[in-house]
Amino acid sequence: ELPTMKMLLPLIALLSAALLASAAPPTCYSRVLSLSKEITESFKELQSSKTVDSCVETLPRLYLDIHNYCVLAKLRDFVAYPGCDRVVEVNELKEKARSLYTILISYCRRDLVFLTDDCNALEIPISPPIEHS
């Protein structure tokens, strides 16, 4: 009976650690990182959609890098852009951008470190490396 207990104890500890890790609350950094990726992806989908209003083509680019200080200006410009108010998807995207901006300047201000202030880097998104098979 004792050898069985010795084998079960590490397994129970491992499962407990896995459960605690998945239940951990998101940090400010993980929240802004996931929200910025979500916004960037939504913007890409919006631009590639054939059914959306032509005003979408005039929207400021919305490639976000939360490590770049210029992301704050990029978010402000996007939210303040006057066009496309009649397009529901654009309004939803503006609301997400407003939320991200608020999180960055209010809740996470002391938790984040900007690694660059290269505003041009936010105009041309870096393509992910192509995987060869």
Side-chain angles (χ1 to χ4, degrees):
E1 189 174 310
L2 193 58
T4 305
M5 285 297 281
K6 284 183 179 178
M7 288 174 51
L8 283 178
L9 197 56
L11 181 61
I12 292 170
L14 184 65
L15 287 173
S16 297
L19 288 173
L20 287 174
S22 64
T27 62
C28 251
Y29 178 75
S30 66
R31 178 66 184 128
V32 296
L33 188 61
S34 66
L35 187 54
S36 68
K37 287 179 181 178
E38 181 183 327
I39 291 169
T40 300
E41 287 304 311
S42 294
F43 182 73
K44 284 180 191 175
E45 289 172 14
L46 185 64
Q47 283 200 313
S48 64
S49 176
K50 304 287 185 235
T51 59
V52 176
D53 197 287
S54 61
C55 73
V56 170
E57 295 172 10
T58 65
L59 288 171
R61 290 184 184 184
L62 198 57
Y63 167 69
L64 304 177
D65 176 4
I66 61 163
H67 303 102
N68 188 333
Y69 184 74
C70 292
V71 75
L72 296 172
K74 175 66 76 175
L75 289 166
R76 275 193 314 266
D77 291 347
F78 186 79
V79 169
Y81 188 76
C84 287
D85 288 338
R86 65 185 177 275
V87 180
V88 173
E89 295 88 349
V90 172
N91 288 328
E92 290 172 354
L93 202 53
K94 283 185 176 185
E95 195 55 43
K96 284 182 185 178
R98 187 177 291 111
S99 295
L100 179 59
Y101 181 81
T102 302
I103 292 169
L104 285 168
I105 65 165
S106 298
Y107 305 108
C108 298
R109 186 180 65 215
R110 292 190 178 108
D111 296 345
L112 297 176
V113 175
F114 295 109
L115 304 175
T116 183
D117 61 353
D118 180 4
C119 295
N120 289 331
L122 294 179
E123 293 302 315
I124 304 167
I126 299 169
S127 300
I130 299 171
E131 293 182 21
H132 299 284
S133 47

